[in-house]
Amino acid sequence: MSYKSTITALLLLLASKSTSNCANVLTNGSFESPVVAANSYGARAVPDGWTGSPFSLNNGVAPLGCGAWGPPQDGAQYVDLGDYPGENLAQTFTVAAGFYQLTWYDNTANCTDAGPSPYNVLIIDTNHAVLSTIFDAGHGGVWQARRAQVQLADGEYTLIFTAEGYAGGWDTVLDNVALIFIAAQPGHFDSQKLLPDGSLLLSMSGTAYTNYTLQFTTDWTNWNPLATLSGTNGLFQYNDFAPTTNNSRFYRLVVGP
């Protein structure tokens, strides 16, 4: 079977409606203020910009009965969330709609017998939780990177870290907390396949949870929408049945709406 039509997939790198300056939405994510005594542990201070009831604000390498706390993952200070259930650290922030990546580091005492140190990470708006997950900081003196991705609407939210351990357990310590806007990346045409029925199967990829508009043109002047595509893993397909009735047809992906 022969086809007279010429099928061309074209990717134009068009900018997203939103841009990112990679700025941390959160304040004092490295817990550098207020400043507490060098190489100290147990300062009863809540980090500036945060609220709640964390156990302490620590500085440098602080001595401990079985070993030592620290050093910080970033800067000079870090926060000790504690081990008692309910000890918490919170910050309220306002964002524009989009996808955000929450990153932080957790740890516990550098002791040979250090055990589990569970804690909860929660992001809430006025009505419900948009993120709620449990982590364990009990990996004995080694900072571990953590991350979670969330989709947020315009508005105000509160990030809350809460200890989920037990009295006499191992304290969770945190450092370098950041919430960064994720800018949508340009979409890509990964493959095009002409099917036996004459339709064209387009396989595409882009940023997860982001809408892309698939457009076509036959004259390079007038671009027409075909479909709005999205995927939880950033992969999506579209089967276009029109190519058999057109002499030429060109495609592009645009971020949005």
Side-chain angles (χ1 to χ4, degrees):
M1 180 180 294
S2 62
Y3 294 89
K4 295 181 179 179
S5 57
T6 300
I7 311 301
T8 302
L10 171 70
L11 172 62
L12 298 184
L13 302 183
L14 300 182
S16 166
K17 292 182 179 179
S18 300
T19 58
S20 172
N21 58 10
C22 296
N24 188 359
V25 173
L26 304 174
T27 300
N28 193 25
S30 290
F31 310 113
E32 298 303 310
S33 63
V35 176
V36 299
N39 297 319
S40 65
Y41 162 72
R44 303 297 184 177
V46 177
D48 292 339
W50 298 81
T51 60
S53 56
F55 181 75
S56 68
L57 188 60
N58 300 349
N59 183 300
V61 180
L64 185 66
C66 65
W69 293 100
Q73 192 280 326
D74 177 71
Q77 299 187 165
Y78 58 95
V79 70
D80 182 342
L81 184 62
D83 59 351
Y84 284 73
E87 289 180 309
N88 66 85
L89 184 69
Q91 185 171 141
T92 298
F93 57 91
T94 302
V95 294
F99 289 89
Y100 291 80
Q101 182 164 268
L102 176 67
T103 60
W104 71 99
Y105 288 80
D106 66 16
N107 202 352
T108 190
N110 185 14
C111 298
T112 57
D113 59 343
S117 184
Y119 65 99
N120 177 260
V121 181
L122 181 70
I123 294 180
I124 59 173
D125 61 15
T126 55
N127 298 313
H128 67 288
V130 295
L131 172 69
S132 180
T133 185
I134 297 289
F135 290 87
D136 182 7
H139 30 84
V142 178
W143 288 102
Q144 183 165 325
R146 304 292 194 179
R147 68 182 59 215
Q149 184 172 312
V150 292
Q151 182 180 14
L152 303 176
D154 290 328
E156 185 177 87
Y157 297 84
T158 301
L159 167 65
I160 308 171
F161 293 95
T162 304
E164 298 286 348
Y166 53 92
W170 292 98
D171 291 12
T172 292
V173 295
L174 305 171
D175 202 1
N176 204 11
V177 183
L179 183 69
I180 305 294
F181 172 75
I182 303 173
Q185 298 300 307
H188 298 273
F189 288 92
D190 299 323
S191 66
Q192 305 87 43
K193 183 178 181 181
L194 199 60
L195 301 180
D197 62 1
S199 64
L200 181 68
L201 179 64
L202 299 171
S203 296
M204 296 153 282
S205 60
T207 302
Y209 300 99
T210 300
N211 287 340
Y212 292 84
T213 299
L214 176 63
Q215 299 177 340
F216 78 94
T217 185
T218 58
D219 58 11
W220 292 97
T221 300
N222 300 301
W223 289 91
N224 305 289
L226 271 177
T228 298
L229 307 170
S230 182
T232 58
N233 59 358
L235 302 176
F236 33 88
Q237 291 184 323
Y238 183 80
N239 196 2
D240 188 6
F241 290 91
T244 55
T245 62
N246 291 272
N247 290 328
S248 61
R249 197 168 173 89
F250 305 90
Y251 301 89
R252 71 180 181 184
L253 279 174
V254 180
V255 177

